[in-house]
Amino acid sequence: MAPEDGGGNGIQFPAFPFTPYSIQTEFMRALYDAIEKGGVAMLERTGKTLSIICSALQWVVDQRSRPSTNDGATARREGQASCGDPRDGDGDEPDWMRDFVPKIDDERTSVRQGQQSIQQRTKKSRDVKGIGEIDGSRRNLSGKGIKKKAEGLEDEELEFLVDEYDSGEEEGAMKRKAAGDASDTSSGDSDDEDEEEEAAMKVYFCSRTHSQLSQFVKELRRTVFDSELKAVCLGSRQNMCINADVLKLGSLNRINERCLELQKNKSKGKPKCRIKVKHNAKSNHAKPSSGCPMLSKRKLQKQYREEMFRMGALDIEDAVQLGHKINTCPYYGSRSMIRAADLVVLPYQSLLLKSSRESLGLSLRNSIIIIDEAHNLADSLTNMYNSKVTKSQLEHVGSTLRLYLERFQNRLGAGNRRYIQTIIIIVESFLQLLLGGKVIEFDDTSPVKGNDRMVKEKQFCDYSMAINDFLFSLDIDNINFVKLMEYIKESNIINKVSGFNSKMASSSEDSAANDAYKDGAVSIQSSFQAIATFLISLSSRDFEGRIIVSRQKLSCPEQQDEGFLKFVMLTGEKIFSEIMDEARAVVLAGGTLQPIEEMKERLFPCLPRERLHFFSCNHIVPSESILPIAVSCGPTGRTFDFSYHSRSSTDMIEELGRLICNILAVVPEGIIVFFPSFEYERKVYDAWKSAGLLERIQKRKQLFREPRGSVDVEAILKEYRDAVTACSNKGATTGALHNGALLLAVVGGKVSEGINFSDGLGRCVVMVGLPYPSPSDVELIERIKYIEGSGSSHYGTTGCSSSNGQMNIDNHRIRGYGRDTSLDILRSCKLRGREYYENLCMKAVNQSIGRAIRHIDDYAAILLVDSRYASKKGSSEPPVKKLPGWIKARLVSVTANFGEVYRLLHQFFKFNKQRVESRRCPQDLDRGA
């Protein structure tokens, strides 16, 4: 494909480091035009990173050279059509949801209640059941409290006592000490006088994985924008912490907790460093010295920022290396650069989760938001707002709260006692549900036992409930969860109880309990936070989510998974609208975004057509560089059927092994084989080993397997890459021993998401079967039911829909699931639910096979191994109809036998090897796809 000049219609892209090809120029023009118009752009193309950088940042540079214009976000809001929802009625909400105006500053409360019309309270709320006997008057701590202290309350325990709380105060319930709240853990940023001016317009680029963000920064360095604009790359504490004592804790939750704990401890013993700030001042947090040695010197943080901007764009590894060099925290150093940055590169969750945005101080107003790998954005967005609490977490928090209440009973005011008892009652009711009706009594010496059968066990371990039904069934519908969450936030009860639990564990004579705490096996803070997050979810409107109840069957003692409660968010429309309403333009980019209508209906169904821009183009590689084949049968003629009921057949697995053995002889360098799940990959591997097929495979190529743990993936990929590179460098022939390497990977694993296997790393991609999600997944079935039933609210779809957005087949609001029940639900779907289920499968296929062919001189074969991929006369629409256009147009959908597949592969690799050797041009490899 011939290169062309970067200009067109007055738009120039001088930052593009090479002469762009025509489709690259078309892509950049489409993106530039979409940003200019505002709204939502959906751009579909493989190998798009460099084009995105040169187009989006060029628009920013051009915009700054123009006279100031109207706020694009304002124009977008004016053009936004009103989107009514018949489910907005409040007839199915608890009284407190209708009567209380939420004040809690939390992402879920804002998202799920901010757009709901809630009237002011007109009558006094009912008292919480079980605690009405508690006196509501405030306790005078100057009398009996002092006497009680003399009776045994130690001075060092006073720091764990929550501040006085008056539940009747509507504006600021906590009477905080003059010194301020010592547990403000958001510090770590620079002093106010060091803060740089906020960049007038920002570009936010987010993607799913660490490697994708690093790839973006690498491409940015190839352009002049690396020196012209300020960029910062954000990551998690786990990736950016350089405090060895914290980093060795391993898990992300434990690292986060320890980091915040160090900052909380920074105030102790250093009152002279504390600055009292007036209410509503620019900064209202105390500024003591940090408890973490990496944040002890603010001058080093300032030096870090200056050095980062001087060096240009740095990825996370480079930022961490700089932090080691200066001996200061790169995590907080990078965060402090956000205000002045023109480009912020960050993970999905940091941008899409409202609490993360607020924690980082991200302002989306008039910004340009680019979301890469957006093919699963709707599911990713809703999954971020799920919440889960386990039986062991409930037991831990319940027993600790009992001990806390007993210890401080006479020092706590009535308001504190009331709310702590309310939390205990809620925890008890959750445990009662998980244990099948057993009455719970907490004991500080042993966990709750659930072996007694006080009620008949339900037929299903997992079942779902509507939010309101969940509250009514537990008799907690009269609890005001909004005020309860306000108390948890304002009182800092989580940190107080966590500190108390830590002291109890350290002073305990039980060495096992003490060691468990030190090892992080017991974390009251994370357990309490999980419960708090789940309680926030209960303030959602009834149709927005479902509660999944999962408990271990008493008849299945071998089942190891403990019981849990999980809130499943079903709709991402309102969540995404918050982002759209603030930003000037939102760009959704991906190698394939099909089907477009599904994403539009789930995220922005009311967006006017003139505010939605779509662009798609063919792949840059010529047709002779790709060979997709639907493989229906194996070398012995056995038909491939990897459906759930057939794939475990020994004959089927061995036929697959013979297929792999045969293609090893003709495919050079690297081959990636994708399986539907880790369990099935393990079963196939063991069967091949028993049948002797594994030995035959390893005589041809080195074999590698994708590990379950993401930490080990990089090491395996390096070994695989080294094996392929060694083969390529030696100029091995197709008949040589160890002609490359074979990687067994899993659909949905890290290998299938965002890792590029260009050139010899991916000469052939084998997709085994159709990776449909398990129909036994209760969460999935709930989402399918919601999608099937939500069509009528916006598009007037008929079928299974009803006015309340639920499927008519779901006649029972409390429902258990077995595999047969789930399959019945899938069969009952007429349109949208079935389409969604099929799309999940084919999106996973497209994402996996798209790992190969990354530039114009690259080439690869794609084998879709299952008879269902082949076109059949009189059959319904085959799955291959949902393949990307550039693959579908070249697909060999029918082959007479495996011999024909082998012949096509041999001719393909022989031709492309000769073609590339005759015309290889170094510059083409640098341009990218």
Side-chain angles (χ1 to χ4, degrees), residues 294-309:
M294 298 299 114
L295 281 171
S296 59
K297 297 180 180 179
R298 293 183 179 277
K299 289 183 178 180
L300 295 182
Q301 282 282 288
K302 184 176 181 180
Q303 179 186 347
Y304 179 87
R305 294 194 301 273
E306 293 172 347
E307 191 69 11
M308 280 276 283
F309 282 142

Side-chain angles (χ1 to χ4, degrees), residues 355-368:
S355 61
S356 297
R357 294 199 302 270
E358 293 174 344
S359 174
L360 293 170
L362 303 183
S363 173
L364 304 186
R365 182 171 178 79
N366 203 30
S367 63
I368 300 166

Side-chain angles (χ1 to χ4, degrees), residues 111-377:
V111 169
R112 300 165 190 157
Q113 293 182 328
Q115 298 183 16
Q116 183 182 13
S117 174
I118 306 178
Q119 300 177 349
Q120 290 286 352
R121 178 170 301 190
T122 58
K123 60 181 179 179
K124 186 176 181 179
S125 297
R126 292 174 289 174
D127 290 332
V128 177
K129 288 186 179 182
I131 60 175
E133 71 281 359
I134 298 178
D135 184 11
S137 61
R138 181 168 297 282
R139 185 176 186 81
N140 183 357
L141 297 180
S142 61
K144 290 185 178 180
I146 297 178
K147 180 179 179 181
K148 200 64 185 175
K149 174 182 174 182
E151 293 177 0
L153 196 60
E154 303 174 9
D155 289 337
E156 60 185 14
E157 291 182 328
L158 292 177
E159 64 176 297
F160 307 131
L161 184 66
V162 293
D163 294 333
E164 295 182 62
Y165 190 86
D166 185 353
S167 60
E169 293 183 18
E170 293 295 335
E171 297 295 335
M174 299 307 299
K175 295 182 177 179
R176 300 202 177 276
K177 300 175 183 178
D181 185 3
S183 65
D184 187 350
T185 59
S186 63
S187 183
D189 300 337
S190 59
D191 291 324
D192 291 340
E193 55 269 22
D194 293 336
E195 289 184 355
E196 300 187 47
E197 183 180 353
E198 178 91 28
M201 182 180 299
K202 278 184 170 52
V203 176
Y204 293 97
F205 177 90
C206 68
S207 195
R208 297 186 60 178
T209 66
H210 173 84
S211 60
Q212 290 166 342
L213 298 179
S214 296
Q215 177 64 26
F216 180 88
V217 174
K218 179 182 177 181
E219 295 294 321
L220 177 62
R221 289 173 181 167
R222 302 168 69 182
T223 71
V224 297
F225 295 126
D226 181 36
S227 57
E228 291 183 358
L229 299 176
K230 295 180 178 180
V232 61
C233 185
L234 305 181
S236 66
R237 287 183 175 89
Q238 189 175 34
N239 288 325
M240 302 192 76
C241 177
I242 61 172
N243 186 328
D245 292 334
V246 176
L247 198 57
K248 69 181 181 181
L249 295 175
S251 72
L252 178 60
N253 286 338
R254 293 169 64 189
I255 290 174
N256 286 339
E257 288 176 13
R258 182 55 181 159
C259 176
L260 296 177
E261 183 181 347
L262 285 174
Q263 293 182 74
K264 178 182 68 174
N265 293 338
K266 66 192 175 183
S267 61
K268 297 179 180 179
K270 297 183 181 290
K272 63 181 180 180
C273 297
R274 188 174 295 280
I275 299 174
K276 183 178 178 180
V277 184
K278 293 182 179 180
H279 186 61
N280 292 332
K282 178 179 179 181
S283 178
N284 60 1
H285 60 271
K287 299 176 183 176
S289 297
S290 174
C292 177
M294 298 299 114
L295 281 171
S296 59
K297 297 180 180 179
R298 293 183 179 277
K299 289 183 178 180
L300 295 182
Q301 282 282 288
K302 184 176 181 180
Q303 179 186 347
Y304 179 87
R305 294 194 301 273
E306 293 172 347
E307 191 69 11
M308 280 276 283
F309 282 142
R310 184 190 66 79
M311 296 175 67
L314 299 181
D315 60 18
I316 293 176
E317 287 80 6
D318 292 333
V320 170
Q321 186 176 358
L322 180 61
H324 279 294
K325 179 180 177 181
I326 300 177
N327 200 34
T328 192
C329 178
Y331 174 78
Y332 279 107
S334 298
R335 283 179 55 163
S336 66
M337 298 167 61
I338 295 174
R339 280 182 56 84
D342 303 298
L343 170 65
V344 181
V345 183
L346 69 172
Y348 260 27
Q349 190 152 337
S350 298
L351 178 76
L352 300 178
L353 196 60
K354 186 175 181 181
S355 61
S356 297
R357 294 199 302 270
E358 293 174 344
S359 174
L360 293 170
L362 303 183
S363 173
L364 304 186
R365 182 171 178 79
N366 203 30
S367 63
I368 300 166
I369 298 174
I370 302 172
I371 303 175
D372 196 19
E373 299 296 332
H375 54 284
N376 280 329
L377 178 60

Side-chain angles (χ1 to χ4, degrees), residues 642-643 647 676 767-773 841-842 845 865-866 868-869 879-880:
F642 291 97
S643 59
R647 67 185 185 185
M767 174 59 62
V768 179
L770 285 158
Y772 284 105
C841 171
M842 291 311 297
V845 170
V865 184
D866 198 301
R868 291 172 292 176
Y869 285 111
V880 293

